[in-house]
Amino acid sequence: MCNNIRSEDGRYEAASYSPAQMAGDRVMRTKAFRGPWSILGLLWIAFALNYVDRQIAYSIFPALRRGLGFNQVQLGLIGTVFLWTYAVSMLPAGRAADHLSRRALILASLGLWSVATAGCGLATSPAVFLCWRAVIAISEALYVPAALGMLAALHPDATRSTALSIHASAQVAGVVAGGWYGGWAADHIGWRAGFLAIAAAGLAYAVFLAFVLVDVPDGPTAKASPPAGLRDLLRSPCYVALCAAFFPFCATIWMFYTWLPDLLYARHGLSMERSGLIATASLQISSVIGILAGGRLADRLAHAVRPARLYVAGAGVVLSPGFYYLVFAASSMAGVQLCSVAFGLTAGLMMGNVFAAGYDALPECAYGIGAGVVNMCGALGGGLCVLLAGVAKGYNGIQRLSAVTAVLTAGAGLMLLLVVASQYGHLARPDRRKR
């Protein structure tokens, strides 16, 4: 178990350093160009490339049907193979982030996922394509715990949600760019060339980061503390409830990412380029607003209400599922876009705070495995729902599935809020809350 002490308000602190002292020490050891906010900007680009790589495939389903002979279930497996491999990889990736160099893991991840993306472009059958998707998942799993651990360690409590929400906004930008780029490439230069081009960009950026991230603080400050294990995570009811809520929440997110472009292509007769762009733009632009506003709101409220990040995240899980269902039930493009905007704004509250909320209940030496377990739960939920949608008989089946997942997600959000309230008491200031 980590040699950290738990304060009266339930949060973990390093035994020999205050959060401000630890953050100040890190900033002093980091050159100006590689300060906390500059590092955030560099990792934002890497994370955006991460999502471009994974999102391209979902905008080219018609091309994959024609070019490689994918059937409906195999198209569903593109998402499921990725997400379940990603989930299985998260525990070892989280442990690695607590033991090894975070910088090395980030660089290895970026280089490997670029090579695997090129492999998708060179695939000769659905089986080969799916194998490369699994490699992309393994490589991208290495990135998240290492990058989030680095950012959480560099940013003190007062700006943590803001920093992590800015980083989370990169996934939104990557989804929009990948959704548009995949369709554009399939329509104009060929889907194979599209994969190879983005792979080359990823390799070039990996080389750039190898030089820029030199001397960046690279691991937990409390070196005397051994890395945490699963047992340490299970001691926090709020963390467990957060993971349980993230499972169905990610099912709704990945239904959007995987199936909405193809639904628009089939139901509304759009080109792959337009369906990929429309399916992602309204949702993701509003998600950026929700993510950034939710992160900033949580940081401000945390001064008065210590579990504010958990409450804001839970509110997003409760409010967003209704709009998710309406997107798949809408019969017009205007309805799809309006409900996508509403979903993005509300879901962003969870997306911008999930990791910062989890870190509030964990010591620094558990940041890696803590992020890994949260992501594992989300990937398992997303992969299951994507597969069920592929098995469902047509879009009527997908619409029924969206109704079920909406109800389960809202229920999990309510449970999260109840657990937080039971652990921290009513919305009281920290000095008046139950211990």
Side-chain angles (χ1 to χ4, degrees):
M1 180 173 173
C2 301
N3 296 325
N4 285 258
I5 58 174
R6 194 164 190 170
S7 63
E8 292 183 355
D9 61 15
R11 294 162 60 85
Y12 281 98
E13 299 174 358
S16 55
Y17 301 96
S18 71
Q21 289 172 326
M22 288 190 291
D25 179 64
R26 293 185 185 89
V27 173
M28 289 178 64
R29 290 189 285 111
T30 306
K31 297 180 180 179
F33 179 68
R34 295 184 282 275
W37 294 104
S38 297
I39 294 169
L40 171 61
L42 294 169
L43 294 182
W44 189 97
I45 296 173
F47 201 35
L49 284 172
N50 178 312
Y51 268 80
V52 170
D53 283 355
R54 71 171 71 175
Q55 187 66 24
I56 294 173
Y58 305 129
S59 296
I60 61 169
F61 278 5
L64 293 176
R65 287 191 187 100
R66 293 193 301 265
L68 291 179
F70 272 83
N71 60 37
Q72 188 79 348
V73 174
Q74 288 171 330
L75 289 175
L77 285 173
I78 290 176
T80 300
V81 166
F82 174 88
L83 288 167
W84 283 356
T85 306
Y86 189 69
V88 170
S89 303
M90 268 298 161
L91 279 180
R95 296 291 287 177
D98 290 329
H99 282 84
L100 306 176
S101 163
R102 291 168 179 162
R103 172 182 175 273
L105 290 172
I106 291 169
L107 295 176
S109 174
L110 184 53
L112 183 56
W113 86 50
S114 298
V115 171
T117 299
C120 287
L122 298 173
T124 56
S125 69
V128 173
F129 189 95
L130 292 173
C131 286
W132 281 115
R133 287 289 291 179
V135 177
I136 291 176
I138 294 169
S139 61
E140 293 188 1
L142 294 174
Y143 173 85
V144 174
L148 293 179
M150 180 180 288
L151 291 173
L154 286 168
H155 288 270
D157 184 67
T159 61
R160 180 167 292 169
S161 277
T162 299
L164 294 183
S165 65
I166 291 173
H167 183 260
S169 71
Q171 73 186 63
V172 175
V175 168
V176 173
W180 165 80
Y181 174 75
W184 175 87
D187 286 337
H188 293 87
I189 63 174
W191 63 272
R192 293 184 184 276
F195 275 109
L196 294 176
I198 199 66
L203 287 173
Y205 195 66
V207 173
F208 170 74
L209 282 186
F211 290 99
V212 175
L213 291 183
V214 176
D215 297 331
V216 172
D218 210 21
T221 300
K223 296 295 184 183
S225 297
L230 287 174
R231 188 173 300 177
D232 297 295
L233 306 183
L234 294 175
R235 288 190 175 98
S236 171
C238 291
Y239 178 81
V240 173
L242 184 70
C243 291
F246 203 51
F247 181 94
F249 176 79
C250 284
T252 67
I253 293 290
W254 279 97
M255 279 285 285
F256 272 108
Y257 291 171
T258 306
W259 286 108
L260 190 57
D262 196 49
L263 182 147
L264 297 181
Y265 176 86
R267 182 181 288 177
H268 298 281
L270 303 180
S271 67
M272 285 184 285
E273 178 182 356
R274 286 200 65 204
S275 62
L277 178 61
I278 291 174
T280 56
S282 299
L283 168 65
Q284 303 303 341
I285 291 172
S286 60
S287 293
V288 168
I289 297 172
I291 288 170
L292 296 178
R296 185 59 182 159
L297 174 66
D299 276 341
R300 293 178 67 87
L301 291 178
H303 291 293
V305 181
R306 182 57 69 184
R309 296 184 177 101
L310 286 160
Y311 279 121
V312 173
V317 181
V318 171
L319 295 174
S320 60
F323 300 114
Y324 152 75
Y325 168 74
L326 291 175
V327 167
F328 285 93
S331 58
S332 68
M333 285 301 305
V336 169
Q337 291 178 298
L338 180 62
C339 293
S340 293
V341 169
F343 176 83
L345 290 173
T346 51
L349 300 177
M350 175 61 155
M351 296 166 68
N353 284 287
V354 57
F355 293 107
Y359 289 154
D360 277 354
L362 300 174
E364 186 184 344
C365 58
Y367 284 176
I369 193 170
V373 170
V374 169
N375 245 357
M376 180 187 70
C377 293
L380 288 173
L384 176 61
C385 199
V386 167
L387 179 61
L388 291 176
V391 175
K393 296 180 179 179
Y395 293 110
N396 288 332
I398 289 178
Q399 187 172 328
R400 288 193 294 270
L401 179 62
S402 68
V404 173
T405 52
V407 172
L408 292 176
T409 303
L414 287 173
M415 182 60 66
L416 171 60
L417 293 176
L418 290 173
V419 170
V420 175
S422 70
Q423 291 295 305
Y424 288 89
H426 191 56
L427 298 181
R429 297 182 65 85
D431 58 345
R432 297 172 56 193
R433 196 178 55 238
K434 293 193 301 181
R435 298 182 183 179

